Amino acid sequence: MKPFRKYTGSVAPLNKSNIDTDIIIPTEFLKRVERTGYGKHLMYYWRFDDAGKPQTDFVLNKEKYKQASILLTGDNFGCGSSRENAVWALHDYGFQVIIAPSFADIFKGNCSKNGLLLIELEHEQIEALFDLEKNNPNFSLQVDLENEIIQVESGWATSFSIASHIRHKFLNGLDDIDVTMTAEENISRFEQQRAYYMDPYVK
């Protein structure tokens, strides 16, 4: 993963709660073995009609939001099945950050393993961001992960909190394998010192 310290991006508002993983990436598009290529199917049945034509009133199809890389949304985002493909679809579409009052637990875990930063804010702060976006064309904000602050050009700002181990991974661009490898010396020492009968290859 690439280190994530400060990031500025435009915001797409999707003011709905309980958006589940079947909406994010419908089951029929889970046929790929790669992590890439899911973005074109993101929220497919909200973005396209039965004939495959774009639903022009859906937020992600509006011209002003086509370059958005920060998704602002409602409670319990990512609920439903545990499919990791939902995270891959959001990332492949171009989202780097999702801001909401809450996220489903498994979805949170999947995002932390795939470099998609989730930020939870109080409902009042979320509503303030929706209002700011509504009243400011081309609304963008800056996420400062080092100092755990979100701020906008007008001066509005708020703090947020990320679990320390997840913050460490994002700031340093580490995935779970990278984190394990930081303990390589200790692992090797343990393997050399353990009793022979604990070796799974000893018969």
Side-chain angles (χ1 to χ4, degrees):
M1 299 196 303
K2 294 180 180 178
F4 186 118
R5 298 182 182 277
K6 285 186 179 179
Y7 180 80
T8 300
S10 57
V11 177
L14 184 55
N15 198 357
K16 293 179 180 291
S17 297
N18 302 311
I19 296 177
D20 64 33
T21 51
D22 198 40
I23 291 171
I24 296 170
I25 183 72
T27 306
E28 52 270 48
F29 300 118
L30 305 182
K31 300 172 183 174
R32 301 180 62 80
V33 293
E34 306 92 344
R35 296 185 177 192
T36 57
Y38 286 94
K40 60 186 176 185
H41 304 305
L42 178 72
M43 301 182 187
Y44 187 87
Y45 293 112
W46 284 2
R47 289 170 59 205
F48 301 100
D49 64 18
D50 292 343
K53 295 181 179 178
Q55 303 271 20
T56 55
D57 60 342
F58 183 60
V59 60
L60 297 184
N61 289 335
K62 295 181 179 178
E63 191 62 36
K64 65 180 291 189
Y65 298 121
K66 286 192 173 178
Q67 300 303 315
S69 56
I70 298 175
L71 182 64
L72 177 65
T73 188
D75 260 318
N76 200 29
F77 187 86
C79 58
S81 82
S82 61
R83 66 190 69 165
E84 194 172 10
N85 315 65
V87 180
W88 300 344
L90 288 158
H91 222 180
D92 193 58
Y93 185 83
F95 286 117
Q96 304 296 315
V97 180
I98 304 177
I99 303 173
S102 64
F103 298 94
D105 284 343
I106 294 175
F107 180 77
K108 286 174 71 172
N110 287 338
C111 285
S112 73
K113 297 175 189 299
N114 286 279
L116 181 57
L117 183 66
L118 303 183
I119 297 175
E120 291 178 321
L121 297 178
E122 298 294 330
H123 286 90
E124 293 78 10
Q125 296 165 314
I126 293 291
E127 290 305 317
L129 283 173
F130 274 120
D131 288 342
L132 285 166
E133 190 287 324
K134 185 178 180 181
N135 296 311
N136 293 278
N138 303 316
F139 180 67
S140 65
L141 55 78
Q142 183 186 74
V143 175
D144 180 347
L145 181 59
E146 288 185 296
N147 296 298
E148 296 181 304
I149 294 173
I150 292 173
Q151 51 192 351
V152 302
E153 193 172 346
S154 66
W156 186 95
T158 189
S159 60
F160 62 92
S161 179
I162 299 288
S164 58
H165 67 287
I166 293 176
R167 181 170 173 270
H168 173 75
K169 286 169 59 177
F170 274 81
L171 287 175
N172 295 284
L174 303 174
D175 60 23
D176 285 351
I177 294 174
D178 295 324
V179 172
T180 300
M181 293 309 293
T182 62
E184 184 177 12
E185 187 175 328
N186 289 337
I187 294 170
S188 296
R189 188 181 306 120
F190 169 79
E191 289 178 336
Q192 291 169 3
Q193 294 175 349
R194 67 180 176 179
Y196 78 94
Y197 53 80
M198 294 181 66
D199 188 333
Y201 301 105
V202 171
K203 295 183 179 178

